[in-house]
Amino acid sequence: MCVKKEWFALSPGERGLWLFSVAVVAMAGVLGGQTTAAGVLGPVIGVTALIYIARGAVLGQVLMVVFSLVYGYLSFCCRYYGEMVTYMGMTGPISAMTVVTWLRHPSQEENQVEAARLSPQLRWIMAVSAAGTTWAFYYILKYFHTAQLPLSTLSVTTSFLASYLMLFRSSMYAVAYAANDLVLIGLWVLAARNDPANWSMAICFAMFFCNDLYGFVSWRKRQRQQELLKEQTAS
């Protein structure tokens, strides 16, 4: 997994989206008064991870592990314990597991994972697990007096769905992450009422939303190409 090689594998459009995203989140951090390295670099790492995940590159999952740690710290500072636990205890570890899963399922295209469709059994497991996770985390977060409890609980649910779908290489991961982005925009807008510097995080997740929409389009297109190639090979 060569970082330089992965960079040059990006299309001109993907590089343009990355540059625009980085410029927006970095400017938002500086103008919003973020004074810590985590507050400025965290969003940059996040949008970079999403660009590589959108093209099915394992490097994206490695960066997502790093982002999970940084974002968990930022969430702790705002008493968003649900976000801290979700990213440090669920999104980060599942992203690490996804690195292994993606390496074991490469596509015939270089440096990309093979997209897959969820089986009925995996869908049932996802539904039951998501319901159990939501129920458990609601009471855990309530016990710790988590700020914005309903939105924080919904964020756990959408994050779990996104991580699960990404682990099993489904293009629908991007839809779940886009839903999570909308929840997080709401959370950080509310946090910005007490600290205007948190507007930078709201803008960060607005850019995440744009990148996740691109990720869904990219994965669906690549999935159709991979399935067509399989059909041609089989015939």
Side-chain angles (χ1 to χ4, degrees), residues 27 35 178 199:
M27 187 178 300
T35 57
W199 276 108

Side-chain angles (χ1 to χ4, degrees), residues 58-140:
V58 175
L59 176 60
Q61 296 299 338
V62 176
L63 292 172
M64 184 56 70
V65 174
V66 178
F67 173 74
S68 296
L69 296 173
V70 176
Y71 181 66
Y73 167 75
L74 294 172
S75 299
F76 173 78
C77 293
C78 289
R79 291 182 56 246
Y80 281 163
Y81 302 129
E83 293 300 290
M84 180 190 72
V85 173
T86 298
Y87 274 79
M88 287 186 166
M90 183 176 69
T91 302
I94 292 180
S95 292
M97 293 167 57
T98 304
V99 170
V100 177
T101 301
W102 283 21
L103 286 173
R104 290 179 176 177
H105 296 88
S107 71
Q108 296 184 31
E109 302 163 291
E110 189 176 10
N111 298 324
Q112 292 185 353
V113 68
E114 181 180 30
R117 297 180 183 273
L118 282 186
S119 67
Q121 181 181 15
L122 287 176
R123 292 176 188 173
W124 275 108
I125 293 174
M126 179 181 69
V128 173
S129 299
T133 299
T134 302
W135 180 84
F137 267 85
Y138 173 82
Y139 288 101
I140 292 172

